[in-house]
Amino acid sequence: MSGKAVLVIDMLNDFLKGSMKNERASKIISPLEKLLQAARAKAVPVIYCNDAHLKGIDKELLIWGEHALAGTEGAEVIAELKPLPGDYVIPKRRYSGFFQTALRLLLEELAIDTLIVTGLLVSICVRHTVADAFYRGYRIYIPGDAVEDLTEEAYQRGLDEMARLYAAQLTSVEEIIKGFAA
Ligand code: ZN
């Protein structure tokens, strides 16, 4: 194994424009556009991990309220970052992109050992996905300008914990793109 992939977590209408709207999140759209464009140009797989909740079943909805229900517009990736042909989309029903999804299978098939993790929210879905990635032995990079959270405190604490607990390397979109070229 020796490949990189970019994970894009929950950049969905409901999180940017809908029921879970978050003003801070909009500033990562443009860095993410650059990152995804560069990844595709270098044939680095782009993998979306998207909430697709089942109403009346997923307990997460009791905590957060209804959001990103499977099959609704709110559960679609925002227009600016729409998946393109050749990208991969993994629906998830829990915080982690790995839990009971096809992500692990896909990463094995693509021979990926390094994950560049982006999206929302640093202290929740990003963190749980990164924890599961660490348990499974992946090398993890997190560009700080391509992840966000509801508050500065949650953002900082989330990044700090992922660096400390899961050996995630904190970096930037610019540095990641330089790494693609190398
Ligand atoms: Zn959710």
Side-chain angles (χ1 to χ4, degrees):
M1 295 210 300
S2 62
K4 299 175 186 173
V6 178
L7 297 189
V8 184
I9 299 175
D10 284 344
M11 291 302 289
L12 311 178
N13 286 324
D14 267 352
F15 288 96
L16 285 114
K17 303 161 196 213
S19 62
M20 301 272 286
K21 187 167 175 212
N22 162 16
E23 296 299 340
R24 293 175 57 96
S26 48
K27 63 174 183 281
I28 68 172
I29 296 173
S30 146
L32 264 173
E33 280 176 319
K34 282 190 204 109
L35 175 62
L36 299 190
Q37 201 177 13
R40 291 172 186 130
K42 295 286 177 185
V44 173
V46 174
I47 303 171
Y48 293 81
C49 297
N50 295 343
D51 257 6
H53 287 302
L54 296 188
K55 192 173 172 166
I57 293 180
D58 290 1
K59 296 235 178 339
E60 225 189 76
L61 301 175
L62 299 174
I63 302 170
W64 300 99
E66 268 182 22
H67 64 274
L69 297 179
T72 66
E73 206 187 318
E76 281 171 26
V77 174
I78 57 169
E80 297 90 325
L81 300 175
K82 248 191 185 338
L84 298 184
D87 295 344
Y88 303 91
V89 178
I90 303 283
K92 65 185 180 71
R93 291 177 42 214
R94 298 294 190 269
Y95 302 134
S96 171
F98 284 94
F99 186 81
Q100 303 283 7
T101 71
L103 180 58
R104 174 71 159 165
L105 175 63
L106 178 64
L107 294 175
E108 281 173 7
E109 288 167 331
L110 295 172
I112 301 300
D113 65 359
T114 300
L115 297 175
I116 297 147
V117 186
T118 71
L120 304 171
L121 297 168
V122 168
S123 63
I124 308 176
C125 290
V126 171
R127 188 202 164 148
H128 284 78
T129 302
V130 164
D132 274 343
F134 173 72
Y135 301 152
R136 289 161 176 79
Y138 293 95
R139 192 176 305 127
I140 300 155
Y141 289 89
I142 303 175
D145 49 345
V147 291
E148 255 308 340
D149 209 312
L150 299 174
T151 65
E152 182 65 22
E153 196 274 330
Y155 170 85
Q156 292 296 348
R157 178 171 41 84
L159 287 183
D160 178 60
E161 286 179 347
M162 289 189 288
R164 242 171 351 105
L165 301 176
Y166 313 128
Q169 309 221 28
L170 306 183
T171 177
S172 66
V173 163
E174 200 187 335
E175 286 303 311
I176 294 286
I177 290 175
K178 274 189 212 157
F180 289 160

